Coordinates of all heavy atoms in Angstrom, one line a residue:
M1 N 24.2 -30.5 -12.3 CA 23.4 -29.4 -12.6 C 23.8 -28.3 -11.6 O 23.7 -27.1 -12.0 CB 21.9 -29.7 -12.4 CG 21.0 -28.7 -12.8 SD 21.0 -28.4 -14.5 CE 19.5 -27.6 -14.7
R2 N 24.3 -28.6 -10.4 CA 24.7 -27.6 -9.5 C 25.8 -26.7 -10.0 O 25.8 -25.5 -9.7 CB 25.1 -28.3 -8.2 CG 24.0 -28.9 -7.4 CD 24.6 -29.4 -6.1 NE 23.5 -30.2 -5.5 CZ 23.7 -31.4 -4.9 NH1 24.9 -31.9 -4.9 NH2 22.7 -32.0 -4.4
E3 N 26.7 -27.2 -10.8 CA 27.8 -26.4 -11.2 C 27.4 -25.3 -12.2 O 28.1 -24.3 -12.4 CB 28.9 -27.3 -11.8 CG 28.6 -27.9 -13.1 CD 29.7 -28.9 -13.6 OE1 29.7 -30.0 -13.1 OE2 30.4 -28.4 -14.5
I4 N 26.2 -25.5 -12.9 CA 25.8 -24.5 -13.8 C 24.6 -23.6 -13.3 O 24.2 -22.6 -13.9 CB 25.4 -25.1 -15.2 CG1 24.2 -26.0 -15.1 CG2 26.6 -25.8 -15.8 CD1 23.6 -26.5 -16.4
L5 N 24.0 -24.0 -12.2 CA 22.9 -23.3 -11.6 C 23.0 -21.8 -11.4 O 22.2 -21.0 -11.8 CB 22.4 -24.0 -10.3 CG 21.0 -23.6 -9.8 CD1 20.0 -23.8 -10.9 CD2 20.7 -24.4 -8.6
G6 N 24.2 -21.4 -10.8 CA 24.4 -20.0 -10.6 C 24.4 -19.2 -11.9 O 23.8 -18.1 -12.0
D7 N 25.1 -19.7 -12.9 CA 25.1 -19.0 -14.2 C 23.7 -19.0 -14.8 O 23.3 -17.9 -15.4 CB 26.1 -19.7 -15.2 CG 27.5 -19.6 -14.7 OD1 27.9 -18.4 -14.6 OD2 28.2 -20.6 -14.5
L8 N 22.9 -20.1 -14.7 CA 21.6 -20.1 -15.3 C 20.7 -19.0 -14.6 O 20.0 -18.2 -15.3 CB 20.9 -21.4 -15.1 CG 21.5 -22.6 -15.9 CD1 20.9 -23.9 -15.5 CD2 21.4 -22.3 -17.4
R9 N 20.8 -18.9 -13.3 CA 20.1 -17.9 -12.5 C 20.5 -16.5 -13.0 O 19.7 -15.6 -13.1 CB 20.3 -18.1 -11.1 CG 19.6 -19.2 -10.5 CD 19.8 -19.4 -9.0 NE 19.0 -20.5 -8.5 CZ 19.4 -21.2 -7.5 NH1 20.5 -21.0 -6.8 NH2 18.6 -22.2 -7.1
R10 N 21.8 -16.3 -13.1 CA 22.3 -14.9 -13.6 C 21.8 -14.6 -15.0 O 21.4 -13.5 -15.2 CB 23.8 -15.0 -13.5 CG 24.5 -13.6 -13.8 CD 26.0 -13.6 -13.6 NE 26.7 -14.8 -14.2 CZ 27.1 -14.9 -15.4 NH1 26.8 -13.9 -16.3 NH2 27.7 -16.0 -15.9
W11 N 21.9 -15.5 -15.9 CA 21.4 -15.3 -17.2 C 19.9 -15.0 -17.3 O 19.5 -14.0 -18.0 CB 21.7 -16.5 -18.1 CG 23.1 -16.8 -18.3 CD1 24.2 -16.0 -18.0 CD2 23.7 -18.0 -18.8 NE1 25.4 -16.7 -18.3 CE2 25.1 -17.9 -18.7 CE3 23.1 -19.2 -19.2 CZ2 25.9 -18.9 -19.1 CZ3 24.0 -20.3 -19.6 CH2 25.4 -20.1 -19.6
R12 N 19.1 -15.7 -16.5 CA 17.7 -15.4 -16.5 C 17.4 -14.1 -15.8 O 16.6 -13.3 -16.3 CB 17.0 -16.5 -15.7 CG 15.5 -16.3 -15.7 CD 14.8 -17.5 -15.1 NE 13.3 -17.4 -15.4 CZ 12.4 -18.2 -14.9 NH1 12.8 -19.2 -14.1 NH2 11.2 -18.0 -15.1
A13 N 18.1 -13.7 -14.8 CA 17.9 -12.4 -14.1 C 18.2 -11.2 -15.0 O 17.6 -10.2 -14.9 CB 18.7 -12.4 -12.8
R14 N 19.2 -11.4 -15.9 CA 19.5 -10.3 -16.8 C 18.6 -10.2 -18.0 O 18.7 -9.3 -18.8 CB 20.9 -10.4 -17.2 CG 21.2 -11.4 -18.2 CD 22.7 -11.4 -18.7 NE 22.9 -12.4 -19.6 CZ 24.0 -13.0 -19.9 NH1 25.1 -12.5 -19.2 NH2 24.2 -13.9 -20.8
G15 N 17.7 -11.2 -18.1 CA 16.7 -11.1 -19.2 C 16.9 -12.1 -20.4 O 16.1 -12.0 -21.3
D16 N 17.9 -13.0 -20.3 CA 18.0 -13.9 -21.4 C 16.8 -14.8 -21.5 O 16.2 -15.2 -20.4 CB 19.2 -14.8 -21.1 CG 20.6 -14.1 -21.4 OD1 20.6 -12.9 -21.5 OD2 21.6 -14.8 -21.5
E17 N 16.3 -15.0 -22.7 CA 15.0 -15.8 -22.8 C 15.3 -17.2 -23.2 O 14.3 -18.0 -23.0 CB 14.2 -15.1 -23.9 CG 13.8 -13.7 -23.5 CD 12.9 -13.0 -24.6 OE1 12.6 -13.7 -25.6 OE2 12.6 -11.9 -24.4
R18 N 16.4 -17.6 -23.7 CA 16.7 -18.9 -24.1 C 18.1 -19.4 -23.6 O 19.0 -18.6 -23.5 CB 16.6 -19.1 -25.6 CG 15.3 -18.7 -26.2 CD 15.3 -18.6 -27.7 NE 16.2 -17.6 -28.1 CZ 17.0 -17.8 -29.2 NH1 17.0 -18.9 -29.9 NH2 17.8 -16.8 -29.5
V19 N 18.1 -20.7 -23.4 CA 19.4 -21.3 -23.0 C 19.4 -22.8 -23.6 O 18.3 -23.4 -23.7 CB 19.6 -21.4 -21.5 CG1 18.6 -22.2 -20.8 CG2 21.0 -21.8 -21.2
V20 N 20.5 -23.2 -24.0 CA 20.7 -24.6 -24.5 C 21.5 -25.4 -23.4 O 22.5 -24.9 -22.9 CB 21.3 -24.7 -25.9 CG1 21.7 -26.1 -26.2 CG2 20.4 -24.1 -26.9
I21 N 21.0 -26.6 -23.1 CA 21.8 -27.4 -22.1 C 22.1 -28.7 -22.9 O 21.3 -29.4 -23.4 CB 21.0 -27.7 -20.9 CG1 20.7 -26.4 -20.1 CG2 21.7 -28.7 -20.0 CD1 20.0 -26.5 -18.8
A22 N 23.4 -29.0 -22.8 CA 23.9 -30.3 -23.3 C 24.2 -31.2 -22.2 O 24.8 -30.8 -21.2 CB 25.2 -30.0 -24.1
T23 N 23.8 -32.4 -22.3 CA 24.0 -33.4 -21.2 C 24.7 -34.6 -21.7 O 24.3 -35.2 -22.7 CB 22.6 -33.8 -20.6 OG1 21.9 -32.7 -20.2 CG2 22.8 -34.8 -19.4
L24 N 25.8 -35.0 -21.0 CA 26.5 -36.2 -21.4 C 25.6 -37.4 -20.9 O 25.4 -37.6 -19.8 CB 27.9 -36.2 -20.7 CG 28.7 -37.4 -20.9 CD1 29.1 -37.5 -22.4 CD2 30.0 -37.4 -20.1
V25 N 25.1 -38.2 -21.9 CA 24.2 -39.2 -21.6 C 24.8 -40.6 -21.7 O 24.2 -41.6 -21.1 CB 22.9 -39.2 -22.5 CG1 22.1 -37.9 -22.2 CG2 23.3 -39.3 -24.0
A26 N 26.0 -40.8 -22.3 CA 26.6 -42.1 -22.4 C 28.1 -41.8 -22.6 O 28.5 -40.9 -23.3 CB 26.0 -42.9 -23.5
A27 N 28.9 -42.8 -22.1 CA 30.4 -42.7 -22.3 C 30.9 -44.2 -22.4 O 30.5 -45.0 -21.7 CB 31.1 -42.0 -21.2
R28 N 31.7 -44.4 -23.4 CA 32.3 -45.7 -23.6 C 33.8 -45.5 -23.8 O 34.2 -44.7 -24.5 CB 31.7 -46.4 -24.9 CG 30.2 -46.7 -24.8 CD 29.6 -47.0 -26.1 NE 29.6 -45.9 -27.1 CZ 28.8 -44.8 -27.1 NH1 28.0 -44.7 -26.1 NH2 28.9 -43.9 -28.0
G29 N 34.6 -46.3 -23.0 CA 36.0 -46.1 -23.1 C 36.4 -44.9 -22.2 O 35.7 -44.6 -21.2
S30 N 37.4 -44.2 -22.6 CA 37.9 -43.1 -21.8 C 37.0 -41.8 -22.1 O 36.7 -41.5 -23.2 CB 39.3 -42.8 -22.2 OG 39.8 -41.7 -21.5
A31 N 36.7 -41.1 -21.0 CA 35.9 -39.9 -21.1 C 36.3 -39.0 -19.9 O 36.4 -39.4 -18.8 CB 34.4 -40.1 -21.1
P32 N 36.6 -37.7 -20.2 CA 37.1 -36.8 -19.1 C 36.0 -36.4 -18.1 O 36.4 -35.9 -17.0 CB 37.6 -35.6 -19.9 CG 36.9 -35.6 -21.2 CD 36.6 -37.0 -21.5
R33 N 34.7 -36.6 -18.4 CA 33.7 -36.2 -17.5 C 32.7 -37.3 -17.3 O 32.5 -38.1 -18.3 CB 32.9 -35.0 -18.1 CG 33.8 -33.7 -18.4 CD 34.1 -32.9 -17.2 NE 32.8 -32.4 -16.7 CZ 32.6 -32.0 -15.5 NH1 33.6 -32.2 -14.6 NH2 31.5 -31.6 -15.1
P34 N 32.0 -37.4 -16.2 CA 31.1 -38.5 -15.9 C 29.7 -38.3 -16.6 O 29.4 -37.1 -16.9 CB 30.9 -38.5 -14.4 CG 31.2 -37.1 -14.0 CD 32.2 -36.6 -15.0
V35 N 29.0 -39.4 -16.9 CA 27.7 -39.3 -17.4 C 26.9 -38.4 -16.5 O 27.0 -38.5 -15.3 CB 27.1 -40.7 -17.6 CG1 25.6 -40.6 -17.9 CG2 27.8 -41.5 -18.6
G36 N 26.0 -37.5 -17.1 CA 25.2 -36.6 -16.3 C 25.8 -35.2 -16.3 O 25.1 -34.2 -15.9
S37 N 27.1 -35.1 -16.7 CA 27.7 -33.7 -16.8 C 26.9 -32.8 -17.7 O 26.4 -33.3 -18.7 CB 29.2 -33.8 -17.2 OG 29.9 -34.5 -16.3
K38 N 26.9 -31.5 -17.5 CA 26.1 -30.6 -18.3 C 27.0 -29.4 -18.7 O 27.9 -29.0 -18.0 CB 24.9 -30.1 -17.5 CG 24.0 -31.2 -17.2 CD 22.7 -30.7 -16.7 CE 21.7 -31.9 -16.3 NZ 21.3 -32.7 -17.4
L39 N 26.6 -28.9 -19.9 CA 27.2 -27.7 -20.4 C 26.0 -26.8 -20.8 O 25.2 -27.2 -21.6 CB 28.1 -28.0 -21.6 CG 28.6 -26.7 -22.4 CD1 29.6 -26.0 -21.6 CD2 29.1 -27.2 -23.8
A40 N 26.0 -25.6 -20.3 CA 24.9 -24.6 -20.7 C 25.5 -23.6 -21.6 O 26.6 -23.1 -21.4 CB 24.3 -24.0 -19.5
V41 N 24.7 -23.1 -22.6 CA 25.1 -22.1 -23.5 C 24.0 -21.0 -23.5 O 22.9 -21.4 -23.8 CB 25.4 -22.6 -24.9 CG1 25.8 -21.5 -25.9 CG2 26.5 -23.7 -24.9
S42 N 24.4 -19.8 -23.2 CA 23.4 -18.7 -23.1 C 23.1 -18.2 -24.5 O 23.9 -18.5 -25.5 CB 23.9 -17.6 -22.3 OG 24.9 -16.8 -23.0
E43 N 22.0 -17.5 -24.7 CA 21.8 -16.9 -26.0 C 22.8 -15.9 -26.4 O 22.9 -15.6 -27.6 CB 20.4 -16.3 -26.1 CG 20.1 -15.2 -25.1 CD 18.7 -14.7 -25.1 OE1 17.8 -15.5 -25.5 OE2 18.4 -13.6 -24.7
R44 N 23.6 -15.4 -25.5 CA 24.7 -14.5 -25.8 C 26.0 -15.3 -26.1 O 27.1 -14.7 -26.4 CB 25.0 -13.6 -24.6 CG 23.8 -12.7 -24.4 CD 24.0 -11.8 -23.2 NE 22.8 -11.1 -22.8 CZ 22.8 -10.0 -22.1 NH1 23.9 -9.4 -21.7 NH2 21.7 -9.4 -21.7
G45 N 26.0 -16.6 -26.0 CA 27.1 -17.4 -26.4 C 28.1 -17.7 -25.2 O 29.1 -18.3 -25.4
E46 N 27.6 -17.4 -24.0 CA 28.4 -17.7 -22.8 C 28.3 -19.2 -22.4 O 27.3 -19.8 -22.7 CB 28.0 -16.9 -21.6 CG 28.2 -15.4 -21.9 CD 27.4 -14.6 -20.9 OE1 26.2 -14.6 -20.9 OE2 28.1 -14.0 -20.0
L47 N 29.3 -19.8 -21.8 CA 29.4 -21.2 -21.4 C 29.4 -21.3 -19.9 O 30.0 -20.5 -19.2 CB 30.6 -21.8 -22.0 CG 30.9 -21.9 -23.5 CD1 32.3 -22.3 -23.8 CD2 29.9 -22.8 -24.1
A48 N 28.8 -22.4 -19.4 CA 28.8 -22.8 -18.0 C 28.9 -24.3 -18.0 O 28.1 -25.0 -18.7 CB 27.6 -22.2 -17.3
G49 N 29.8 -24.8 -17.2 CA 29.9 -26.3 -17.1 C 30.7 -26.9 -18.1 O 31.5 -26.2 -18.9
S50 N 30.7 -28.2 -18.2 CA 31.5 -29.0 -19.2 C 30.9 -30.4 -19.4 O 30.5 -31.0 -18.5 CB 32.9 -29.1 -18.7 OG 33.7 -29.8 -19.5
V51 N 31.0 -30.9 -20.7 CA 30.6 -32.3 -20.9 C 31.8 -33.1 -21.4 O 31.7 -34.3 -21.5 CB 29.5 -32.3 -22.0 CG1 28.2 -31.8 -21.4 CG2 29.8 -31.6 -23.3
S52 N 32.9 -32.5 -21.8 CA 34.0 -33.2 -22.2 C 35.3 -32.4 -22.1 O 35.9 -32.2 -21.1 CB 33.8 -33.7 -23.7 OG 34.9 -34.5 -24.1
G53 N 35.7 -31.8 -23.2 CA 36.9 -30.9 -23.3 C 37.3 -30.8 -24.7 O 36.9 -31.5 -25.6
G54 N 38.3 -30.0 -24.9 CA 38.9 -29.9 -26.2 C 38.0 -29.7 -27.4 O 37.0 -29.0 -27.4
C55 N 38.2 -30.5 -28.5 CA 37.5 -30.4 -29.7 C 36.0 -30.8 -29.5 O 35.1 -30.3 -30.2 CB 38.1 -31.1 -30.8 SG 38.4 -32.8 -30.5
V56 N 35.7 -31.7 -28.6 CA 34.4 -32.2 -28.4 C 33.5 -31.0 -27.8 O 32.4 -30.7 -28.3 CB 34.3 -33.4 -27.5 CG1 32.9 -33.7 -27.1 CG2 34.9 -34.6 -28.2
E57 N 34.1 -30.3 -26.9 CA 33.4 -29.2 -26.3 C 33.1 -28.1 -27.3 O 32.0 -27.6 -27.3 CB 34.2 -28.6 -25.1 CG 33.4 -27.9 -24.2 CD 33.2 -28.6 -22.9 OE1 32.7 -29.7 -22.8 OE2 33.4 -27.9 -21.8
S58 N 34.1 -27.9 -28.2 CA 33.9 -26.9 -29.3 C 32.7 -27.3 -30.2 O 31.9 -26.5 -30.6 CB 35.1 -26.7 -30.1 OG 36.2 -26.2 -29.3
E59 N 32.7 -28.6 -30.5 CA 31.6 -29.1 -31.4 C 30.2 -29.0 -30.7 O 29.3 -28.7 -31.4 CB 31.9 -30.6 -31.8 CG 33.1 -30.7 -32.7 CD 32.8 -30.2 -34.1 OE1 31.7 -30.3 -34.6 OE2 33.7 -29.6 -34.7
V60 N 30.2 -29.3 -29.4 CA 28.9 -29.3 -28.7 C 28.5 -27.8 -28.6 O 27.3 -27.5 -28.8 CB 29.1 -29.9 -27.3 CG1 27.8 -29.6 -26.4 CG2 29.3 -31.4 -27.4
Y61 N 29.4 -26.9 -28.4 CA 29.1 -25.5 -28.4 C 28.5 -25.0 -29.8 O 27.4 -24.4 -29.8 CB 30.3 -24.6 -28.2 CG 30.1 -23.1 -28.3 CD1 29.5 -22.4 -27.2 CD2 30.5 -22.4 -29.4 CE1 29.3 -21.1 -27.3 CE2 30.3 -21.1 -29.5 CZ 29.7 -20.4 -28.4 OH 29.5 -19.0 -28.6
E62 N 29.0 -25.5 -30.9 CA 28.5 -25.2 -32.2 C 27.1 -25.8 -32.4 O 26.2 -25.1 -33.0 CB 29.4 -25.6 -33.3 CG 30.7 -24.9 -33.4 CD 30.5 -23.4 -33.5 OE1 29.6 -22.9 -34.3 OE2 31.3 -22.6 -32.9
E63 N 26.9 -27.0 -31.9 CA 25.5 -27.6 -31.9 C 24.5 -26.7 -31.1 O 23.4 -26.5 -31.6 CB 25.5 -29.0 -31.4 CG 26.3 -30.0 -32.3 CD 25.6 -30.3 -33.6 OE1 24.4 -30.0 -33.8 OE2 26.3 -30.9 -34.4
A64 N 25.0 -26.3 -30.0 CA 24.1 -25.4 -29.1 C 23.7 -24.1 -29.8 O 22.6 -23.7 -29.8 CB 24.8 -25.2 -27.8
R65 N 24.7 -23.5 -30.5 CA 24.5 -22.3 -31.2 C 23.5 -22.5 -32.3 O 22.6 -21.7 -32.6 CB 25.8 -21.7 -31.7 CG 26.8 -21.3 -30.6 CD 26.3 -20.2 -29.7 NE 26.2 -18.9 -30.5 CZ 25.5 -17.9 -30.1 NH1 25.0 -17.8 -28.9 NH2 25.5 -16.8 -30.9
S66 N 23.6 -23.6 -33.0 CA 22.6 -23.9 -34.1 C 21.2 -24.1 -33.5 O 20.2 -23.7 -34.2 CB 23.1 -25.1 -34.9 OG 22.9 -26.3 -34.3
I67 N 21.1 -24.7 -32.4 CA 19.8 -24.9 -31.7 C 19.2 -23.5 -31.3 O 18.0 -23.3 -31.5 CB 19.9 -25.9 -30.6 CG1 20.1 -27.3 -31.2 CG2 18.6 -25.9 -29.7 CD1 20.4 -28.4 -30.2
L68 N 20.1 -22.7 -30.8 CA 19.6 -21.3 -30.4 C 19.1 -20.6 -31.7 O 18.3 -19.7 -31.6 CB 20.7 -20.5 -29.7 CG 21.0 -20.9 -28.3 CD1 22.3 -20.4 -27.8 CD2 19.8 -20.5 -27.4
A69 N 19.7 -20.9 -32.8 CA 19.3 -20.3 -34.1 C 18.1 -20.9 -34.7 O 17.6 -20.5 -35.8 CB 20.5 -20.3 -35.1
G70 N 17.5 -22.0 -34.1 CA 16.3 -22.6 -34.6 C 16.3 -24.1 -34.9 O 15.3 -24.6 -35.3
A71 N 17.5 -24.7 -34.9 CA 17.6 -26.1 -35.2 C 16.9 -26.9 -34.1 O 16.7 -26.4 -32.9 CB 19.0 -26.6 -35.3
E72 N 16.6 -28.2 -34.3 CA 15.9 -29.1 -33.4 C 17.0 -29.6 -32.4 O 18.1 -29.7 -32.7 CB 15.3 -30.2 -34.1 CG 14.1 -29.9 -35.0 CD 12.9 -29.4 -34.2 OE1 12.6 -30.0 -33.2 OE2 12.3 -28.4 -34.7
S73 N 16.5 -30.0 -31.2 CA 17.3 -30.7 -30.2 C 17.8 -32.0 -30.8 O 17.1 -32.5 -31.7 CB 16.5 -31.0 -28.9 OG 16.0 -29.8 -28.3
K74 N 19.0 -32.4 -30.4 CA 19.5 -33.6 -31.0 C 20.5 -34.4 -30.1 O 21.1 -33.8 -29.2 CB 20.2 -33.3 -32.3 CG 21.4 -32.4 -32.2 CD 22.1 -31.8 -33.4 CE 21.9 -32.5 -34.7 NZ 22.7 -31.8 -35.8
L75 N 20.7 -35.6 -30.4 CA 21.7 -36.5 -29.8 C 22.9 -36.5 -30.7 O 22.7 -36.9 -31.9 CB 21.1 -37.9 -29.6 CG 22.1 -38.9 -28.9 CD1 22.4 -38.5 -27.5 CD2 21.5 -40.3 -28.9
V76 N 24.0 -36.2 -30.2 CA 25.3 -36.2 -31.1 C 26.3 -37.1 -30.4 O 26.3 -37.3 -29.2 CB 25.8 -34.8 -31.3 CG1 24.9 -34.0 -32.2 CG2 26.1 -34.1 -30.0
S77 N 27.1 -37.8 -31.2 CA 28.1 -38.8 -30.8 C 29.4 -38.3 -31.3 O 29.6 -37.9 -32.4 CB 27.8 -40.2 -31.2 OG 26.5 -40.6 -30.7
Y78 N 30.4 -38.5 -30.4 CA 31.8 -38.2 -30.7 C 32.7 -39.3 -30.2 O 32.4 -39.9 -29.2 CB 32.2 -36.9 -30.0 CG 31.4 -35.7 -30.3 CD1 30.3 -35.4 -29.4 CD2 31.5 -35.0 -31.5 CE1 29.5 -34.3 -29.7 CE2 30.7 -33.9 -31.8 CZ 29.7 -33.6 -30.9 OH 28.9 -32.5 -31.2
G79 N 33.7 -39.6 -31.0 CA 34.6 -40.7 -30.5 C 35.9 -40.8 -31.4 O 36.0 -40.3 -32.5
I80 N 36.8 -41.5 -30.8 CA 38.0 -41.8 -31.5 C 38.5 -43.2 -31.0 O 38.4 -43.5 -29.8 CB 39.1 -40.7 -31.2 CG1 40.3 -40.9 -32.0 CG2 39.4 -40.7 -29.7 CD1 41.3 -39.8 -32.0
S81 N 39.0 -44.0 -31.9 CA 39.4 -45.4 -31.6 C 40.7 -45.3 -30.9 O 41.5 -44.3 -30.9 CB 39.6 -46.2 -32.9 OG 40.7 -45.8 -33.6
D82 N 41.1 -46.4 -30.2 CA 42.4 -46.4 -29.5 C 43.5 -46.2 -30.5 O 44.5 -45.5 -30.2 CB 42.6 -47.8 -28.8 CG 41.7 -47.9 -27.5 OD1 41.3 -46.8 -27.0 OD2 41.5 -49.0 -27.0
E83 N 43.4 -46.8 -31.7 CA 44.4 -46.7 -32.7 C 44.6 -45.3 -33.1 O 45.7 -44.8 -33.3 CB 44.1 -47.6 -33.9 CG 44.1 -49.1 -33.6 CD 42.8 -49.6 -32.9 OE1 41.8 -48.9 -33.0 OE2 42.9 -50.6 -32.2
Q84 N 43.5 -44.6 -33.4 CA 43.5 -43.2 -33.8 C 44.0 -42.3 -32.7 O 44.8 -41.3 -32.9 CB 42.1 -42.7 -34.2 CG 41.6 -43.3 -35.5 CD 40.2 -43.0 -35.7 OE1 39.3 -43.0 -34.8 NE2 39.8 -42.7 -36.9
A85 N 43.7 -42.6 -31.5 CA 44.1 -41.8 -30.3 C 45.6 -41.7 -30.2 O 46.2 -40.6 -30.0 CB 43.5 -42.3 -29.0
W86 N 46.2 -42.9 -30.3 CA 47.7 -42.9 -30.2 C 48.3 -42.0 -31.3 O 49.3 -41.3 -31.0 CB 48.2 -44.4 -30.3 CG 49.6 -44.5 -30.0 CD1 50.6 -44.7 -30.9 CD2 50.3 -44.4 -28.7 NE1 51.8 -44.7 -30.3 CE2 51.7 -44.5 -29.0 CE3 49.8 -44.1 -27.4 CZ2 52.6 -44.4 -27.9 CZ3 50.7 -44.1 -26.4 CH2 52.1 -44.2 -26.7
S87 N 47.8 -42.0 -32.5 CA 48.4 -41.3 -33.6 C 48.3 -39.8 -33.4 O 49.0 -39.0 -34.0 CB 47.8 -41.7 -34.9 OG 46.5 -41.2 -35.0
V88 N 47.3 -39.3 -32.6 CA 47.2 -37.9 -32.3 C 47.7 -37.5 -30.9 O 47.4 -36.4 -30.4 CB 45.8 -37.4 -32.5 CG1 45.4 -37.5 -34.0 CG2 44.8 -38.1 -31.6
G89 N 48.4 -38.4 -30.2 CA 49.0 -38.1 -29.0 C 48.2 -38.3 -27.7 O 48.5 -37.9 -26.6
L90 N 47.1 -39.1 -27.9 CA 46.2 -39.4 -26.7 C 46.5 -40.8 -26.2 O 46.8 -41.7 -27.0 CB 44.7 -39.3 -27.1 CG 44.3 -37.9 -27.5 CD1 42.8 -38.0 -28.0 CD2 44.4 -36.9 -26.4
P91 N 46.4 -41.1 -24.9 CA 46.8 -42.4 -24.4 C 45.8 -43.5 -24.8 O 46.1 -44.6 -24.8 CB 46.9 -42.2 -22.9 CG 46.0 -41.0 -22.6 CD 46.2 -40.1 -23.9
C92 N 44.5 -43.1 -25.0 CA 43.5 -44.0 -25.3 C 42.3 -43.3 -26.0 O 42.1 -42.1 -25.8 CB 43.0 -44.8 -24.1 SG 42.4 -43.8 -22.8
G93 N 41.4 -44.1 -26.6 CA 40.2 -43.6 -27.3 C 39.0 -43.7 -26.4 O 39.1 -44.2 -25.3
G94 N 37.9 -43.2 -26.9 CA 36.7 -43.3 -26.2 C 35.6 -42.6 -27.0 O 35.8 -42.0 -28.0
E95 N 34.3 -42.8 -26.6 CA 33.2 -42.3 -27.3 C 32.2 -41.7 -26.2 O 32.1 -42.2 -25.1 CB 32.4 -43.4 -28.0 CG 33.2 -44.0 -29.1 CD 32.5 -45.2 -29.8 OE1 31.2 -45.0 -29.9 OE2 33.1 -46.2 -30.1
V96 N 31.6 -40.6 -26.6 CA 30.6 -40.0 -25.8 C 29.3 -39.6 -26.6 O 29.5 -39.3 -27.8 CB 31.1 -38.7 -25.0 CG1 32.2 -39.1 -24.1 CG2 31.5 -37.7 -26.0
D97 N 28.2 -39.7 -26.0 CA 26.9 -39.3 -26.6 C 26.4 -38.1 -25.7 O 26.4 -38.2 -24.5 CB 25.9 -40.4 -26.6 CG 26.3 -41.6 -27.4 OD1 27.0 -41.4 -28.4 OD2 25.8 -42.7 -27.0
V98 N 26.0 -37.0 -26.4 CA 25.6 -35.8 -25.8 C 24.2 -35.4 -26.3 O 24.1 -35.3 -27.6 CB 26.6 -34.7 -26.0 CG1 26.2 -33.4 -25.3 CG2 28.0 -35.1 -25.5
Y99 N 23.3 -35.2 -25.4 CA 22.0 -34.7 -25.9 C 22.0 -33.2 -25.7 O 22.2 -32.7 -24.6 CB 20.8 -35.3 -25.1 CG 19.5 -34.9 -25.6 CD1 19.1 -35.4 -26.9 CD2 18.6 -34.1 -24.9 CE1 17.9 -35.0 -27.5 CE2 17.4 -33.8 -25.5 CZ 17.0 -34.2 -26.7 OH 15.8 -33.9 -27.3
V100 N 21.7 -32.4 -26.8 CA 21.7 -31.0 -26.8 C 20.3 -30.5 -27.0 O 19.7 -30.8 -28.1 CB 22.7 -30.5 -27.9 CG1 22.9 -29.0 -27.8 CG2 24.0 -31.2 -27.9
E101 N 19.8 -29.7 -26.1 CA 18.4 -29.2 -26.2 C 18.2 -27.8 -25.7 O 18.9 -27.4 -24.7 CB 17.5 -30.2 -25.4 CG 17.8 -30.2 -23.9 CD 17.0 -31.2 -23.1 OE1 15.8 -31.3 -23.4 OE2 17.5 -31.7 -22.2
Q102 N 17.3 -27.1 -26.3 CA 16.9 -25.8 -25.8 C 16.0 -26.1 -24.6 O 15.1 -26.9 -24.7 CB 16.2 -25.0 -26.9 CG 15.9 -23.6 -26.4 CD 15.5 -22.7 -27.5 OE1 16.0 -22.7 -28.5 NE2 14.5 -21.9 -27.2
T103 N 16.2 -25.4 -23.6 CA 15.5 -25.6 -22.3 C 14.6 -24.3 -22.0 O 15.2 -23.2 -21.9 CB 16.4 -25.9 -21.2 OG1 17.2 -27.0 -21.6 CG2 15.7 -26.2 -19.9
P104 N 13.3 -24.5 -21.8 CA 12.5 -23.3 -21.4 C 12.8 -23.0 -19.9 O 13.4 -23.8 -19.1 CB 11.1 -23.9 -21.5 CG 11.2 -25.3 -21.3 CD 12.6 -25.7 -21.9
W105 N 12.6 -21.7 -19.6 CA 12.9 -21.2 -18.2 C 11.8 -21.6 -17.2 O 11.8 -21.0 -16.2 CB 13.0 -19.7 -18.3 CG 14.2 -19.1 -18.9 CD1 14.3 -18.3 -19.9 CD2 15.6 -19.3 -18.4 NE1 15.6 -18.0 -20.2 CE2 16.4 -18.6 -19.3 CE3 16.1 -20.1 -17.4 CZ2 17.8 -18.6 -19.2 CZ3 17.5 -20.1 -17.3 CH2 18.3 -19.3 -18.2
E106 N 11.0 -22.5 -17.5 CA 9.9 -22.8 -16.5 C 10.4 -23.3 -15.2 O 11.4 -23.8 -15.0 CB 8.9 -23.8 -17.2 CG 8.4 -23.3 -18.4 CD 7.6 -24.4 -19.2 OE1 7.3 -25.5 -18.6 OE2 7.3 -24.2 -20.3

């Protein structure tokens, strides 16, 4: 949370009313970030922090934008098998679960 705190404070100070925070809640196999990592998305679409990388981070961003547009908070899972990983140039597969939620400024 410390890595996104400065950005959250800046967004709130400028008047942003909503923010979505994605939290990495589980990882199986290879994962670039540890459980507990966070990604914040401001109502203006700015990012702070990280929960993964590459295409997963892009997908989490899209989930965050949909929540800012009115969708419900949700748990999303992403993964690739070891066999699939090798075919796309990755050394190993892995799975992550990310909880994406709108967070009040309280």
